[in-house]
Amino acid sequence: MAGILELPKPRITCALLSQYISRPVCFVGRVEKVHPTGKSFTVADGEGKIATVELNDPLEEELSGIVEVIGMVSNKGAILASTYNLLREDRGIPFDLELYTEALKVIHEFPQHYPFEVAASG
């Protein structure tokens, strides 16, 4: 079986989590709170809705700002992270999370125009 990083991963928002249970996803959000153990954190999407990200190993770095998480959605609706990447905003160009979320709404509303989504939902 291919690893999660090789599988197609739809980009989703909190509103779509329940539709992707047991499937690989890509989620981009703003880090809201890191659990004291470092084994989980919460992220907000562009609509301010919150998702929980669970990690296999505790964080070894400070986590803040915008993060991209790749993982599987658990049946509780949490994202079981395989990997995450901080999206640095230090080049003077802030990431527009609200605009990103609006773009995802269009992609999911018109899957016939985005073949990736058609393949991923089959």
Side-chain angles (χ1 to χ4, degrees):
M1 182 176 152
I4 190 169
L5 298 178
E6 288 82 36
L7 294 171
K9 293 166 288 301
R11 293 182 173 273
I12 66 166
T13 61
C14 289
L16 297 169
L17 280 170
S18 64
Q19 296 175 35
Y20 288 90
I21 290 176
S22 299
R23 294 178 56 195
V25 297
C26 179
F27 185 96
V28 175
R30 184 172 309 282
V31 176
E32 293 293 312
K33 185 176 182 183
V34 176
H35 190 274
T37 63
K39 296 266 295 178
S40 68
F41 58 93
T42 57
V43 288
D45 65 14
E47 295 181 319
K49 295 178 183 161
I50 304 293
T52 300
V53 176
E54 297 177 357
L55 304 167
N56 289 324
D57 300 311
L59 290 167
E60 295 181 5
E61 63 184 328
E62 184 177 322
L63 202 56
S64 64
I66 303 293
V67 66
E68 176 187 62
V69 178
I70 295 175
M72 297 285 278
V73 180
S74 75
N75 37 359
K76 296 180 197 171
I79 302 168
L80 307 175
S82 292
T83 187
Y84 67 88
N85 298 304
L86 288 172
L87 301 182
R88 304 278 179 213
E89 296 183 286
D90 56 1
R91 291 192 172 91
I93 304 170
F95 185 87
D96 190 332
L97 190 56
E98 291 75 20
L99 184 59
Y100 173 82
T101 298
E102 290 301 314
L104 291 185
K105 286 180 184 178
V106 171
I107 289 169
H108 286 275
E109 186 175 344
F110 300 101
Q112 68 274 20
H113 297 293
Y114 301 93
F116 170 80
E117 283 299 314
V118 172
S121 63

